[in-house]
Amino acid sequence: MESLSFLLSFSFFLLSLSPLVSSHVTNHDDFLNCLSRRINDNTTPSKVIHTSKDSSFFSILDSSTQNQRLSVPTTPKPVSIITPVQATDVQTVIRCARVHGIHVRTRSNGHGYEGQSYVAYNKPFVVIDLRYLRSITFDVDNRTGWVQTGATAGELYYEIGKTTKTLAFPAGTHPTVGVGGQFSGGGYGTLLRKYGLAADNVIDALVVDARGRILDRQAMGEDYFWAIRGGGGSSFGVVLSWKIRLVDVPSTVTVFKVSKTSENQAVQIINKWQYVADKVTDDLFIRATLERSNDNTVQASFSGLYLGPVNDLLVLMEVKFPILGLEAEDCTEMSWIESVLWFADYPKGESLGVLANRERSSLSFKGKDDFVQEPIPESAVRGLWRRLEAPEGSLAKIILTPLGGKMSEIAEHETPFPHREGNLYEIQYLAHWRGEEDKNKRETQKYLNWVDSVYGFMTPYVSKSPRGAYVNFMDIDLGMYLGKEKSKYEEGKSWGVKYFKNNFERLVRVKTSVDPTDFFCDEQCFPALARKLCFPALARKLCFPALARKLCFQILSRKCIFGYNRKMYMQK
């Protein structure tokens, strides 16, 4: 009788870990009923819950599908989209999803390179779309602000620009990218050499965890807070908002751009750039880009931001980087917020309000990246030039982003983003093509092959053991969970160390602590380690009915709740 009582008690524990029991028995209708019953009376369920039967469903799905190669009919679609209008809605989604075994993906504005915020493979799923959670507030006196995860970088910059001309935030250069994915993976832009990553300047956050609780930094603890600032957004919870530290910028900055179409001249300048760009004053950022020009010939462009007036910049460049030949007519003085518009390629005179537009890209793309620790030879630069001359390179870009400065001052263990001191620059290989070409799989494949060929060509010249990668440029080619011969930990480590190096192990421990049932997971999330909650004798006691033993064992061991030899147990 005691054993039966113990088993019944433990059954309630199993039910509380519903993803373990019902991951293959999803009940979407019951999930939706659960949501409808619990959504706050002050909101309208029809505004929050969208199924494929609704006329608005596909417009909402497509509006933040920023990579058009993932818009093809064969791409898995969610069974519903939830657009929360308040924090408690997110809590409700998580709690109902757990009870009914529903897999969730969270989308800020859909710029993930592999569509991981709105695509899932081999399982039904719903998307939590945070588009309505995008408020932004500032405390200028204390140089801080709160930004909800559904906001874009452009919306953040717009609000900063309306408020002050001498404060900024070091996030990315693309205004339509959501802050949720960007901050959670690191996030960098033109201020990275001066102030580091966006994640380096996050000082608090509000997160809905796997139990549906809202936690701030104090409540979640420092390990959890550490993990969400660079560890990626898919493994630990739903971040509702971020408290950021605003940074100082002068009232006048200088931007410049110099382009070279001569291969010999461009190769010489890029070669010199490798020795200079990470070592100059951290007030100077110079990005190098290889791409096709307007007349369809390959060119090298050098775009820069200097935190100061043009006269000081010209003196500095004459000393540190004279081969570029920078002249006053290549430069423009402006405010920092105007430089945001300039780097985003908006026309001169465009109003600040354009930054708040949530535009959808019409292009498809595929990207990979590397970190370079020693200058690559001129022959390698020429090899990249040749590849951009291929037909598949017509809309492609190879982007070299300098590190150094503040990036080298922050230890690689201080946040999950480890690519700090010892790295000269990050290099990205990015193919773009028109979305209509994806109607023919062969057309899509030729662009994917182009990226693969560039990545393969660069193997001898980039970081090794591991070959580093940036998680915000997620690359599914590095691996994904297959669940075959290797354990989930062994599979996850194969790409996890590329993104996070030695920080991978700590991230796995955090994952195990905050989400032991692996509720938040995508094709490259962190694995939750086995938890030794039971001994074999206890398992036999819990699963004592002979007919029920096999099923009971499968439920208990499904997520490796206790670690012992299952074959030996099943024989007993």
Side-chain angles (χ1 to χ4, degrees), residues 63-67 70 106-118 151-154 174-179 181-182 357-361 365 428 430 432 471-474:
S63 65
S64 293
T65 299
Q66 302 290 353
N67 189 347
L70 298 169
T106 305
R107 181 165 74 173
S108 180
N109 201 31
H111 280 80
Y113 274 37
E114 302 287 359
Q116 62 271 24
S117 65
Y118 54 89
T152 64
H174 297 286
T176 60
V177 175
V179 303
Q182 186 175 168
N357 292 345
R358 297 172 74 93
E359 300 170 348
R360 177 178 182 244
S361 173
F365 67 89
Q428 185 180 181
L430 194 59
H432 284 99
V471 71
N472 274 3
F473 299 155
M474 182 179 180

Side-chain angles (χ1 to χ4, degrees), residues 405-430:
K406 187 68 173 180
M407 291 295 290
S408 294
E409 296 173 10
I410 300 173
E412 66 177 44
H413 65 268
E414 287 190 34
T415 70
F417 182 95
H419 311 289
R420 307 281 188 169
E421 187 176 13
N423 292 283
L424 303 180
Y425 58 95
E426 187 250 6
I427 182 168
Q428 185 180 181
Y429 327 110
L430 194 59

Side-chain angles (χ1 to χ4, degrees), residues 169-170 195-203 229 243-247:
F169 189 72
Y195 293 112
L197 306 174
D200 297 331
N201 293 277
V202 169
I203 56 178
R229 294 176 299 127
K243 187 177 184 180
I244 61 173
R245 179 194 304 113
L246 301 177
V247 299

